[in-house]
Amino acid sequence: MNQASLHRLLMANAKKKDPKVLFDQRLATNLTLIQQLYFSLYPEETNLDNFQKLLSLLPVLFKERPEHLKLQDISRIEEGNWYQSEKIVGLQLYVEHFNKDLKGLREKIPYFKELGVNFLHLMPITTRPKGESDGGYAVNDYLKVDPKYGTKEDLLELTTEFRKQGIYLMLDFVVNHTSNEFSWAKKAIRGDKKYQGYYYTFEDYTIPAEFEKTLPEVFPETSPGSFTYIPEMGRWVMTVFNSYQWDLNYTNPDVFLEMLTNLVKLSDQGVDVVRFDALAFLWKKMGTISQNLPEAHTLIALFRMCLQVVAPGVILLAEAIVAPMDIIKYFGVDQKEGNECEIAYNASLMALLWNSVATKKTTLLYKSLLHVPDKPKDCTWINYIRCHDDIGLGYENHLIQELGWSPDMHRKFLLDYYCQHLDWSPATGLMFMYNPKTGDGRITGSAASLLGLEKGLALNDKSLIEASISKIIMLHGITLAFGGIPLIYAGDEIGTLNDYSYQKDPAKKEDNRWVNRPMQDWETIAKLDDIQSPPSRIFHTLKRLIAIRKNEPVFADHNNLSLCHTGNDHILVFERKLDSGEGLLVLSNFDQNPQVIETSWIKKLGYFAQGDPVDLVTENKVSINSGLLEIAPYQLIWLKKS
Ligand code: GLC
């Protein structure tokens, strides 16, 4: 049982639901674990004072938490795992690309309602350096709203309105690094030793050179290496991402305390889910790739356990875009099970779906999903097909090999397929951060462009357009039904194509991820009544699928997904089965030709018990010919068993 469940049990028995009494109870409940985690990072012999500081900080942070959020915390504990509900559907957006600023965003609440989304991930809205800022992931201040989005009051008004309207808000906490303009970095540059110790700074290149031997490069084209020399400071600083993003030094206990304070204060603005950005990188060790280290997990659990004491209604999302076996660990293992992040991006499913589209086969997808252990029962996924970042090809090499393919050649094929190196491919993506030293590259492009809509429209090729629309719907249909929070990237709900305007902006042109960060196309949205246009067909179908999901408890995440083997390599089938006997069978065909599967096993599962079942997607009955079910190219079928 994780700590959150323990708090729920204890609270049910509590005579008084006084927030302060419950805070004390939570602190007592988490204290042993907090202590163990803390001293495993910061040895007890030299850090008793620092631990004392942490213990004094927690009640202060609790006192400062707004009263209405303390009450919400209590109802969230009572409610249980709200984030596993079928009722939640998300949208991710850049405020300035959506409708100008925070006020503009608020005006669009009716649009969210119409589509059916009630969980928003707003990309960073805090202050950042002028010019390049990694889309705001170079943070000048964790709490100050950048004036281009509005004011702190606008944010508070927005979160109040969201609460009223039942919309959950997710904001980033860029926990691994600050910008070089952050107050700590500025002090470090001016020679302040204390703040130089907040980062990994070195007087010469000896230690950086050792680190470089094993550190992979994140942005090899634009920011090669992981250290930057700062002449004014006369020191090197670790900059794993861009040269203007300085990695925080968590071996320094003061950094942890300051960042915990920032985390709680961010939560106090009415945030429901905190996205822990780039959390795999939180701890560095020479001789390793400095990703996914055990100490990083300890640190995350420590943040989690402290936040839970102060603001138990707020949960964490792991942004760990790493190998499948590593992602699952961010839910916590052993003592930390269920005590790290409640949610993680299902980056494995995302990357495997793109692999299946290109290969038209689901073999690697099955192998990989079967290879990863089940997640803890109180945790869930964010399931998505596109986000603001690139698509990394994070597959397990040995599984590619088991299929008889060469991992390098296979990745090269995928890059060629998506990045316009193959004439016959319908995709119009771009290559991101190709590293000639390793042959690694990633893919950018909007979902619609990667799935052929851009090419189809340019060539006026009706069958290509039809195929791309079907693929778009099929992929979204899988993420809506997989179990977890489906997260749509704003614009994908209307099939928005690549946006090449970034090439003219000096602050963006080196980073082609901007090609998949388009302006929300309100003109097209105004014309969605034209039922024939591709945007309209995509929008209305998604809207219907979302409504179906929200109406059927079988879509909630009960950690109950099982893959079904059909013997047909083009097909993906999974079942979501409830103890009550209810079930949902999701079938999809990744091939350009119709495919058939044998059906006796579907009958055995009970889906035909009341005659031919209705496909929730088309509302048509599914029928069987000679014991075979035919699935059209890129068709998605949702069968429900009552
Ligand atoms: C995360 C963000 C990405 C950013 C990186 C560094 O991966 O999603 O956009 O570049 O962190 O902050």
Side-chain angles (χ1 to χ4, degrees):
M1 181 190 290
N2 68 354
Q3 297 296 106
S5 312
L6 213 51
H7 297 309
R8 193 164 309 132
L9 280 184
L10 284 169
M11 203 174 82
N13 295 335
K15 287 203 196 69
K16 258 175 74 186
K17 297 270 158 76
D18 172 356
K20 178 65 173 73
V21 172
L22 296 173
F23 164 83
D24 290 337
Q25 194 178 68
R26 286 195 302 275
L27 180 56
T29 312
N30 281 15
L31 192 56
T32 311
L33 190 52
I34 289 178
Q35 179 202 347
Q36 284 168 7
L37 295 166
Y38 190 89
F39 288 134
S40 95
L41 293 176
Y42 310 113
E44 188 170 348
E45 304 73 57
T46 46
N47 285 291
L48 271 181
D49 285 0
N50 287 324
F51 187 59
Q52 176 66 51
K53 278 195 219 158
L54 171 62
L55 294 187
S56 319
L57 177 66
L58 294 175
V60 174
L61 292 175
F62 177 71
K63 196 154 168 250
E64 286 168 7
R65 182 152 171 85
E67 291 307 316
H68 63 278
L69 294 180
K70 288 182 186 168
L71 295 178
Q72 178 177 282
D73 288 337
I74 295 176
S75 51
R76 288 265 165 88
I77 299 179
E78 281 170 337
E79 193 187 336
N81 302 342
W82 59 268
Y83 45 88
Q84 292 180 318
S85 163
E86 74 282 3
K87 303 262 186 266
I88 300 190
V89 177
L91 190 79
Q92 175 192 4
L93 58 92
Y94 280 89
V95 174
E96 73 273 37
H97 286 190
F98 197 72
N99 196 30
K100 193 164 177 269
D101 55 16
L102 292 171
K103 283 207 167 84
L105 181 69
R106 202 172 141 184
E107 285 164 21
K108 294 297 179 188
I109 290 179
Y111 180 70
F112 304 134
K113 298 251 157 183
E114 196 197 341
L115 179 58
V117 300
N118 53 1
F119 176 104
L120 293 183
H121 172 207
L122 309 187
M123 302 303 290
I125 50 171
T126 41
T127 50
R128 76 278 314 272
K130 284 208 176 63
E132 281 180 63
S133 68
D134 191 13
Y137 283 96
V139 175
N140 281 3
D141 188 294
Y142 285 102
L143 302 167
K144 274 197 198 126
V145 174
D146 190 305
K148 74 172 169 182
Y149 300 111
T151 60
K152 187 165 175 200
E153 285 63 48
D154 293 335
L155 175 61
L156 292 179
E157 273 172 27
L158 185 75
T159 56
T160 307
E161 187 59 25
F162 279 179
R163 268 195 302 284
K164 240 193 253 159
Q165 304 269 355
I167 297 175
Y168 295 92
L169 174 65
M170 175 157 89
L171 287 186
D172 276 275
F173 185 52
V174 185
V175 60
N176 178 66
H177 45 261
T178 73
S179 80
N180 56 350
E181 294 183 6
F182 197 90
S183 61
W184 303 337
K186 283 186 178 162
K187 288 181 194 160
I189 292 173
R190 287 199 296 266
D192 189 326
K193 292 273 169 281
K194 171 173 170 187
Y195 290 100
Q196 287 179 355
Y198 274 37
Y199 301 95
Y200 292 94
T201 70
F202 307 94
E203 59 183 351
D204 63 32
Y205 195 65
T206 319
I207 297 176
E210 277 308 303
F211 265 111
E212 288 288 18
K213 287 182 184 159
T214 48
L215 279 179
E217 293 173 307
V218 179
F219 296 134
E221 282 183 354
T222 49
S223 199
S226 297
F227 293 86
T228 304
Y229 186 69
I230 311 294
E232 304 94 298
M233 182 165 71
R235 292 175 80 83
W236 291 86
V237 62
M238 182 181 265
T239 52
V240 167
F241 288 84
N242 289 293
S243 54
Y244 50 83
Q245 289 167 305
W246 290 22
D247 288 67
L248 286 164
N249 176 5
Y250 280 99
T251 64
N252 179 343
D254 290 343
V255 172
F256 171 69
L257 282 190
E258 298 243 33
M259 289 299 280
L260 177 65
T261 307
N262 283 324
L263 169 63
V264 173
K265 290 198 167 155
L266 175 72
S267 308
D268 287 351
Q269 300 182 352
V271 177
D272 302 295
V273 181
V274 176
R275 178 184 184 273
F276 255 41
D277 179 66
L279 81 179
F281 296 78
L282 282 182
W283 202 269
K284 333 284 180 192
K285 206 184 274 171
M286 229 187 277
T288 72
I289 61 166
S290 295
Q291 287 180 40
N292 310 310
L293 292 178
E295 292 86 346
H297 286 281
T298 305
L299 182 62
I300 297 158
L302 182 60
F303 271 120
R304 165 70 295 191
M305 290 299 96
C306 294
L307 182 68
Q308 191 173 72
V309 170
V310 180
V314 180
I315 57 172
L316 301 184
L317 163 77
E319 195 256 339
I321 313 303
V322 292
M325 289 296 278
D326 289 320
I327 295 183
I328 195 98
K329 295 187 188 140
Y330 288 90
F331 293 130
V333 283
D334 300 332
Q335 183 198 33
K336 298 197 256 310
E337 182 169 322
N339 293 324
E340 266 189 65
C341 296
E342 285 83 353
I343 317 181
Y345 279 109
N346 200 344
S348 316
L349 176 69
M350 181 275 297
L352 288 160
L353 288 174
W354 289 105
N355 178 74
S356 299
V357 168
T359 58
K360 304 181 175 32
K361 291 206 170 119
T362 54
T363 39
L364 186 61
L365 196 147
Y366 272 92
K367 258 189 183 299
S368 304
L369 292 183
L370 288 169
H371 187 67
V372 178
D374 289 342
K375 60 183 165 60
K377 73 172 182 31
D378 295 302
C379 297
T380 201
W381 295 116
I382 276 202
N383 294 309
Y384 64 115
I385 58 170
R386 285 304 285 119
C387 69
H388 67 293
D389 278 330
D390 47 288
I391 301 171
L393 307 179
Y395 317 111
E396 310 269 4
N397 281 349
H398 69 104
L399 297 180
I400 302 181
Q401 274 156 346
E402 279 177 27
L403 290 168
W405 303 335
S406 136
D408 287 350
M409 292 313 289
H410 186 60
R411 288 200 174 83
K412 182 173 180 315
F413 161 71
L414 293 175
L415 292 175
D416 287 349
Y417 177 91
Y418 283 115
C419 305
Q420 307 182 50
H421 296 165
L422 297 173
D423 289 347
W424 55 266
S425 165
T428 42
L430 300 178
M431 174 89 87
F432 181 65
M433 295 292 153
Y434 180 67
N435 188 343
K437 284 183 254 172
T438 58
D440 287 341
R442 283 117 78 185
I443 299 157
T444 56
S446 76
S449 291
L450 291 174
L451 292 171
L453 189 56
E454 186 171 330
K455 198 165 181 179
L457 290 171
L459 300 175
N460 200 10
D461 179 334
K462 286 216 171 63
S463 67
L464 196 49
I465 294 173
E466 286 309 308
S468 70
I469 294 176
S470 303
K471 285 188 222 176
I472 291 170
I473 289 164
M474 179 181 80
L475 293 188
H476 283 298
I478 293 169
T479 58
L480 279 162
F482 198 81
I485 302 177
L487 189 67
I488 299 168
Y489 188 72
D492 285 354
E493 76 281 14
I494 51 166
T496 306
L497 306 180
N498 283 348
D499 175 357
Y500 298 99
S501 63
Y502 76 97
Q503 291 166 344
K504 291 188 210 99
D505 183 337
K508 294 181 176 161
K509 69 178 189 336
E510 302 298 336
D511 185 345
N512 69 30
R513 287 176 297 175
W514 288 103
V515 80
N516 47 255
R517 300 168 180 176
M519 298 293 287
Q520 189 73 359
D521 184 353
W522 295 109
E523 240 172 71
T524 297
I525 291 169
K527 289 187 288 209
L528 287 177
D529 286 344
D530 165 11
I531 304 295
Q532 293 316 313
S533 71
S536 169
R537 285 171 57 198
I538 297 167
F539 181 87
H540 289 291
T541 311
L542 277 185
K543 179 177 156 180
R544 207 161 48 74
L545 297 186
I546 290 171
I548 295 170
R549 170 185 155 111
K550 290 169 86 171
N551 207 23
E552 298 278 0
V554 73
F555 282 84
D557 184 13
H558 299 281
N559 246 2
N560 56 346
L561 180 133
S562 43
L563 288 173
C564 309
H565 297 270
T566 65
N568 184 324
D569 284 352
H570 303 286
I571 302 288
L572 169 67
V573 184
F574 59 86
E575 192 188 22
R576 309 280 320 286
K577 203 161 86 199
L578 297 182
D579 291 342
S580 63
E582 261 184 87
L584 175 77
L585 196 69
V586 177
L587 305 97
S588 48
N589 175 9
F590 282 79
D591 195 31
Q592 65 207 11
N593 298 309
Q595 292 290 334
V596 289
I597 56 171
E598 203 273 325
T599 52
S600 56
W601 61 274
I602 306 184
K603 288 190 175 148
K604 270 195 211 125
L605 289 175
Y607 283 85
F608 285 81
Q610 275 137 28
D612 289 349
V614 173
D615 168 18
L616 298 179
V617 177
T618 55
E619 292 168 1
N620 293 331
K621 280 196 169 179
V622 158
S623 55
I624 306 275
N625 291 319
S626 319
L628 298 175
L629 171 66
E630 185 175 306
I631 312 178
Y634 315 120
Q635 188 184 356
L636 165 80
I637 300 176
W638 282 353
L639 295 185
K640 203 194 144 207
K641 181 175 65 162
S642 319

